[in-house]
Amino acid sequence: MLVARKVEHYIRNGLIAFMMASSLTALFNGTQFGFMEANVFGVSIFFMAAWMLNYVIADDIRMAVNKVFRYEKRPDPRALWQVGMGALFFTVQIGVVEVFMRSWMSADLGGMPLYIIFAFMNSFLLTVVYEEFFYEAPEKVQAYKFKKLK
């Protein structure tokens, strides 16, 4: 179980770092700075540097968000956990399209950009798959144990 928690930790931090790096790269992509044009195999050097920097601070950001939403004090951590992972998957997919596949942004479905629709559907499915791998049964969660004792 300890290995699964470490893998989950690295996946979450990697997703947070990727989300922040792609947001920064998409934000600065339209500027006329020369260093934004440097690419290695189609990947911006700015994106790689931002991803490495954001990976270092991703755990602190995740803990700050947990404190803001008072995650530790919730009796049922599952609902916030699912929404959080779905939002991470969604924003990472949006970031991939905005940074690496800008040509996909032109297609739409009745006015709604198609890449947003696919990102929403994929994030739902990825959240379900992620939950199957990493979610602990309620009898193993400490909050449920305290409810049974009372």
Side-chain angles (χ1 to χ4, degrees):
M1 192 57 169
L2 185 61
V3 174
R5 284 198 180 263
K6 283 188 178 186
V7 169
E8 180 186 12
H9 177 77
Y10 291 130
I11 289 173
R12 265 195 267 153
N13 286 351
L15 288 173
I16 290 170
F18 192 93
M19 177 185 65
M20 291 187 302
S22 62
S23 298
L24 284 173
T25 306
L27 180 68
F28 289 115
N29 217 5
T31 61
Q32 297 180 7
F33 296 126
F35 65 89
M36 291 303 296
E37 301 295 323
N39 289 325
V40 176
F41 299 116
V43 179
S44 170
I45 292 178
F46 180 77
F47 173 80
M48 290 187 284
W51 187 81
M52 286 186 248
L53 177 69
N54 286 322
Y55 193 82
V56 171
I57 63 171
D59 198 38
D60 295 331
I61 290 173
R62 189 175 59 80
M63 294 309 245
V65 169
N66 284 346
K67 286 181 183 177
V68 167
F69 289 117
R70 297 179 183 167
Y71 185 73
E72 294 85 17
K73 296 180 182 178
R74 291 174 52 92
D76 182 13
R78 184 176 188 203
L80 185 64
W81 176 85
Q82 284 180 325
V83 171
M85 286 311 296
L88 276 177
F89 286 131
F90 179 73
T91 52
V92 163
Q93 290 176 65
I94 296 290
V96 166
V97 171
E98 288 180 348
V99 173
F100 301 112
M101 302 169 216
R102 292 194 67 82
S103 63
W104 289 14
M105 294 176 72
S106 61
D108 64 3
L109 181 67
M112 176 68 92
L114 202 55
Y115 75 97
I116 293 177
I117 295 169
F118 281 118
F120 183 76
M121 291 186 306
N122 288 338
S123 65
F124 175 74
L125 292 173
L126 285 171
T127 303
V128 171
V129 169
Y130 191 84
E131 179 184 6
E132 288 298 320
F133 281 117
F134 296 111
Y135 180 66
E136 293 181 26
E139 59 268 3
K140 294 181 182 177
V141 176
Q142 193 67 27
Y144 289 104
K145 289 181 181 177
F146 288 130
K147 279 186 177 179
K148 289 180 183 177
L149 293 175
K150 290 181 180 179

